[in-house]
Amino acid sequence: MRAGLIVALWAVAAVLIMSIVALPISLQAHLVAGLTVVACMIIIKFMRAQGIWRLIALALGTAIVLRYVFWRTTSTIPPITEVASFIPGFLLYLAEMYSVMMLFLSLFVVSSPLPSRKAPQIDPQNLPTVDIFVPSYNEGSDLLATTLAAAKAMTYPADKMTVWLLDDGGTDEKCNSSNTAAAQQARERRAELQAMCASLDVKYLTRARNVHAKAGNLNNGLENSTADLVAVFDADHAPARSFLTETVGYFTKDKSLFLVQTPHFFINPDPLERNLGTFQTMPSENEMFYGVIQRGLDKWDAAFFCGSAAVLRREALQETNGFSGVSITEDCETALELHSRGWTSVYVDKPLIAGLQPDSFASFIGQRSRWAQGMMQILRYKFPPLKRGLKISQRLCYMSSSMFWLFPFSRFCFLVSPLCYLFFSLEIFTASGGEFFAYTFTYMMVNFMMQNYLYGRYRWPWISDLYEYIQTIYLLPAVLSVIANPSKPTFKVTAKNESMEESRVSELGTPYFIIFGILILGVIATGIRVWAEPYKADLTLVTGAWNVLNLIIAGCALGVVSERATRRQSHRVRVERPCRFIMGDEIIDAVLKDVSVGGGRLHVPPSAEPRLKKGTAGTLEFQPFANLPVQHLPVEIRKVGMDDKGLLLGCRFLIEKAEHRRMIADLVFANADQWSNFQKNRHHDIGVLRGTLWFFMVAFYQTGRGLSYFLGLQRIGSSSPPAPSVASAAK
């Protein structure tokens, strides 16, 4: 009875909304209605109202969006007889309708995401066996040793857990290559990694040929192992000790469960965060996906495998003959196949691994191109909306996940459309300046408010626009190529742990400066058209304002492609671990303040200053989280400084044996709580207005920095302060 009443109420609300959408009202009345809705949404947001009030706010916003769609569809598309205007005008209309569709799919997915789960208790008498797979292709032994040591240290009975290094860089095919140098390199790699695995007590496995890329490598691991569950970690994804205790319990509670996925947390900034200086203060791009979208997908049993930081059931994988390898995004494809067969998934909203993001802009674009092309392959080959076996809700979720990667088409249309009018007088919008302003302004305001409702603590205003813009230039041809030939893309490993020796413009940066120059010409064209055609000034000014918004985003992108120098190859993590620094017979109490896989920073009393100098060797003693055979790590002092509380020692770890790798993994990766705490410090909603002011300040600064790099004034650009703070934007 209650369910039927709720459905009836929603049906009545839908009818009322549709009536409002089609109601013929004056332009002034629409503007007042739109601003009233925005005001209501702001009040509800200010009151921090949740539950039904949150849904009411989103419903009000939906009404304004639908009214905009009705107006665009019935009143603004150029006549088909005017071909020169109709074609770009209709393409712009399609781009806007795509954006609206993705907004509504987002509303369906994340309007009420699941809260964080609590891990089920594990029965010590009924523990499943687990194989831990670490697939590798060209990663160095130091990186692999850290990940393997962290995996080996996970809290789980040793007789129930086996760690495997799946090496695709030392296959028989590579070792017997006709290229003598490449073959020698592959044989040396195989020998080196075999010795490393033996020292860490993990299993080394390679195969005959490199077929089906990562999916083929994982399937080779399945063929040579027998455990009930399979945990997968990328080569640069080191797990915390609690990873298995936080995930395995779900499989004992639900026999139909094929996947437990956890977030990907990164200890280093991506190129945008690094070059804009926002890593410590602004939520990362991936946090919107792992913090909101995956929880929303989880509600509809559509959380999917993300290639790493996950546990899967072997029995389920056997149904599909292992990991799917038709597309180059084997993770999502595998989840889609298993969901369609009735298997279920769970998403655990707690970072339990720490990984590395691409450091250079070129590597970042390469990674995103692979994701985009892989999702387009899934769309072409599997077409989730019509995939047999999926529930309607799952179809919509996979539709949202795959069709998102069509954004380069809409972003390109939004970029060039105002220029079509300013440069060529093509009337792609048959509306007056007043109509354009009233409908578009209210639509944009409502859209921003709805996005803020959905993602406020995880994505700040305009940041999604910036991320989409910097990817569009290279993803557009990549997506077009896979649409034309879906079998063309091949799996390419993303480079990690790169070093940027000097400040420079990225090798992919030139098109961004060209586009910025064209948009500047658009500003000049706006002024010329207002002077030459004053009777069209309203439409010209509105279109010019649109072009200026594009210019602001494009200017900020100049800072993204202007790479800041960074010579540190290992990334530091803040910790607070008591320890002792030992030199011969002398023991000095200290505190570890931050640490990386290469070294750490110690805080010691000032009384020790005369004895602690650069080049001094010693031993670091601390209490590890795991039960390790040794608790002493040899170090060398590389830097001596001072603050108001004592001496600061920059130390380099001297790795002499495998146990030292385990100690470093314990220092850096064992404690999962530090990742959650770091994220919480960045999860705050700065609001639409303050976020917009902050973004415009950042864009202004980054435009100047980017131009200074382009003109060869890198020293000026690299010595400038980081992006303006949120606090300064509020003043």
Side-chain angles (χ1 to χ4, degrees):
M1 177 68 182
R2 184 172 180 270
L5 182 60
I6 292 174
V7 171
L9 287 173
W10 279 110
V12 171
V15 171
L16 289 174
I17 287 175
M18 295 307 296
S19 300
I20 294 172
V21 166
L23 191 66
I25 59 178
S26 67
L27 190 62
Q28 293 80 3
H30 169 82
L31 185 59
V32 170
L35 293 177
T36 301
V37 166
V38 171
C40 291
M41 295 177 74
I42 291 174
I43 291 171
I44 295 173
K45 180 75 174 178
F46 181 76
M47 294 173 62
R48 301 180 184 274
Q50 296 296 322
I52 189 65
W53 288 104
R54 171 186 166 97
L55 296 178
I56 287 173
L58 293 174
L60 288 172
T62 299
I64 296 300
V65 172
L66 288 175
R67 181 158 181 83
Y68 176 79
V69 170
F70 180 78
W71 172 72
R72 280 288 279 126
T73 305
T74 59
S75 305
T76 64
I77 301 175
I80 195 171
T81 54
E82 299 177 8
V83 178
S85 295
F86 174 78
I87 293 176
F90 189 67
L91 290 176
L92 174 62
Y93 171 77
L94 292 178
E96 290 190 75
M97 294 307 104
Y98 163 81
S99 298
V100 170
M101 179 188 70
M102 294 307 299
L103 173 63
F104 288 157
L105 285 173
S106 295
L107 286 173
F108 172 79
V109 172
V110 304
S111 60
S112 184
L114 282 182
S116 299
R117 299 172 182 267
K118 184 177 181 181
Q121 290 292 325
I122 297 180
D123 181 5
Q125 306 302 319
N126 189 31
L127 284 176
T129 54
V130 184
D131 282 316
I132 293 95
F133 289 167
V134 180
S136 170
Y137 183 72
N138 58 2
E139 295 83 6
S141 59
D142 288 343
L143 179 66
L144 291 169
T146 301
T147 301
L148 293 170
K152 190 71 178 176
M154 288 188 293
T155 304
Y156 210 72
D159 60 334
K160 296 280 189 179
M161 177 182 77
T162 306
V163 180
W164 298 78
L165 174 63
L166 308 181
D167 179 27
D168 243 12
T171 59
D172 295 343
E173 180 183 21
K174 285 185 171 292
C175 289
N176 298 320
S177 171
S178 58
N179 184 325
T180 307
Q184 178 65 24
Q185 186 178 17
R187 288 193 291 268
E188 291 175 356
R189 172 188 171 86
R190 179 190 282 193
E192 180 185 10
L193 295 187
Q194 284 176 330
M196 180 194 70
C197 288
S199 68
L200 292 171
D201 191 26
V202 304
K203 292 192 174 184
Y204 174 89
L205 181 66
T206 188
R207 53 182 174 148
R209 297 178 59 239
N210 301 82
V211 291
H212 298 301
K214 182 179 177 181
N217 195 11
L218 292 171
N219 288 334
N220 184 56
L222 288 175
E223 292 171 5
N224 288 275
S225 60
T226 58
D228 305 314
L229 305 177
V230 174
V232 181
F233 301 111
D234 280 346
D236 60 298
H237 282 188
R241 293 189 69 241
S242 59
F243 183 90
L244 292 179
T245 58
E246 295 272 5
T247 55
V248 168
Y250 293 98
F251 290 95
T252 62
K253 298 293 183 182
D254 184 357
K255 298 303 181 183
S256 67
L257 183 68
F258 83 90
L259 168 72
V260 174
Q261 178 66 56
T262 70
H264 292 185
F265 171 82
F266 300 106
I267 61 176
N268 68 311
D270 68 26
L272 183 145
E273 294 168 320
R274 179 170 58 83
N275 295 324
L276 301 192
T278 61
F279 183 61
Q280 298 293 333
T281 56
M282 185 182 75
S284 284
E285 182 201 21
N286 66 299
E287 289 177 45
M288 184 175 82
F289 175 73
Y290 288 109
V292 182
I293 296 175
Q294 275 281 48
R295 289 197 292 122
L297 295 172
D298 195 23
K299 176 182 179 179
W300 304 109
D301 188 24
F304 60 82
F305 179 37
C306 298
S308 179
V311 185
L312 301 98
R313 191 187 297 272
R314 181 183 294 271
E315 180 187 352
L317 291 170
Q318 288 172 339
E319 276 196 22
T320 56
N321 296 319
F323 294 87
S324 301
V326 176
S327 74
I328 57 175
T329 45
E330 80 296 327
D331 40 17
C332 184
E333 182 188 345
T334 300
L336 175 63
E337 284 297 325
L338 289 171
H339 273 134
S340 71
R341 294 169 182 260
W343 292 91
T344 61
S345 62
V346 159
Y347 176 65
V348 175
D349 183 29
K350 181 178 182 180
L352 298 171
I353 64 98
L356 297 175
Q357 300 188 89
D359 284 302
S360 71
F361 183 72
S363 296
F364 172 83
I365 291 297
Q367 180 192 65
R368 299 313 165 92
S369 295
R370 176 168 62 84
W371 293 355
Q373 290 183 319
M375 296 305 278
M376 288 301 99
Q377 286 178 312
I378 290 175
L379 199 59
R380 281 289 307 272
Y381 288 132
K382 307 293 183 179
F383 199 62
L386 299 180
K387 178 71 174 175
R388 181 177 298 178
L390 293 178
K391 304 171 188 175
I392 293 178
S393 57
Q394 291 174 320
R395 295 173 193 267
L396 292 173
C397 289
Y398 274 105
M399 183 179 173
S400 174
S401 299
S402 57
M403 294 193 68
F404 163 79
W405 291 98
L406 291 170
F407 74 79
F409 294 98
S410 62
R411 183 60 57 184
F412 178 76
C413 288
F414 297 152
L415 182 68
V416 302
S417 290
L419 300 177
C420 289
Y421 175 78
L422 295 173
F423 289 162
F424 308 111
S425 299
L426 299 178
E427 296 194 3
I428 56 176
F429 233 98
T430 58
S432 67
E435 290 174 321
F436 188 99
F437 174 80
Y439 280 92
T440 303
F441 177 73
T442 53
Y443 165 68
M444 288 183 62
M445 286 294 297
V446 165
N447 202 328
F448 271 114
M449 287 301 303
M450 294 174 78
Q451 297 287 349
N452 187 250
Y453 264 91
L454 297 175
Y455 309 112
R457 291 193 303 119
Y458 298 88
R459 177 57 54 85
W460 291 359
W462 300 97
I463 296 301
S464 287
D465 299 89
L466 179 59
Y467 269 106
E468 289 185 4
Y469 171 75
I470 63 174
Q471 295 176 77
T472 289
I473 295 172
Y474 289 99
L475 262 58
L476 182 60
V479 170
L480 284 172
S481 69
V482 77
I483 290 175
N485 184 3
S487 62
K488 181 180 179 180
T490 57
F491 191 100
K492 295 180 181 178
V493 178
T494 303
K496 303 288 175 63
N497 241 7
E498 300 168 286
S499 63
M500 310 295 294
E501 295 295 334
E502 59 181 17
S503 298
R504 62 182 178 85
V505 174
S506 168
E507 60 268 35
L508 302 183
T510 302
Y512 299 90
F513 290 90
I514 294 174
I515 292 172
F516 181 80
I518 293 172
L519 295 176
I520 288 288
L521 294 178
V523 175
I524 297 172
T526 301
I528 294 174
R529 290 185 68 88
V530 169
W531 174 77
E533 300 175 337
Y535 53 90
K536 292 183 179 179
D538 56 345
L539 184 58
T540 302
L541 288 173
V542 170
T543 309
W546 181 2
N547 181 69
V548 168
L549 286 178
N550 287 337
L551 179 67
I552 292 172
I553 296 171
C556 196
L558 300 186
V560 177
V561 301
S562 299
E563 312 252 39
R564 295 181 186 271
T566 172
R567 295 174 178 81
R568 179 180 298 161
Q569 292 191 342
S570 55
H571 302 276
R572 293 188 177 183
V573 177
R574 292 179 182 176
V575 296
E576 196 76 19
R577 301 268 301 257
C579 61
R580 299 195 300 177
F581 187 82
I582 303 173
M583 293 187 305
D585 296 330
E586 185 175 6
I587 299 176
I588 302 172
D589 290 327
V591 176
L592 262 172
K593 304 300 289 185
D594 62 50
V595 67
S596 72
V597 296
R601 188 162 60 110
L602 296 178
H603 201 278
V604 299
S607 58
E609 181 178 5
R611 304 180 301 282
L612 298 176
K613 300 185 181 300
K614 182 178 179 180
T616 302
T619 302
L620 191 65
E621 181 185 72
F622 64 93
Q623 181 62 47
F625 291 108
N627 184 20
L628 299 179
V630 297
Q631 297 180 2
H632 296 80
L633 183 62
V635 297
E636 178 188 12
I637 298 176
R638 303 292 293 175
K639 186 177 181 180
V640 179
M642 181 173 280
D643 64 5
D644 56 348
K645 296 181 180 179
L647 288 179
L648 291 174
L649 304 181
C651 298
R652 180 170 66 92
F653 298 143
L654 304 176
I655 302 170
E656 299 171 354
K657 50 187 177 179
E659 284 75 11
H660 296 156
R661 295 283 187 192
R662 296 178 181 177
M663 294 186 71
I664 293 171
D666 189 276
L667 277 174
V668 182
F669 301 108
N671 181 17
D673 291 338
Q674 62 188 342
W675 315 134
S676 297
N677 294 334
F678 179 78
Q679 286 186 331
K680 287 177 182 177
N681 291 332
R682 300 189 300 188
H683 288 173
H684 54 278
D685 182 2
I686 65 172
V688 174
L689 179 59
R690 190 159 57 128
T692 298
L693 292 174
W694 172 82
F695 179 79
F696 286 179
M697 291 171 62
V698 170
F700 178 77
Y701 167 71
Q702 294 299 333
T703 300
R705 190 177 73 85
L707 291 174
S708 74
Y709 274 50
F710 186 71
L711 297 174
L713 307 175
Q714 294 97 303
R715 292 182 180 178
I716 297 176
S718 59
S719 64
S720 301
S725 67
V726 177
S728 65
K731 294 180 181 178

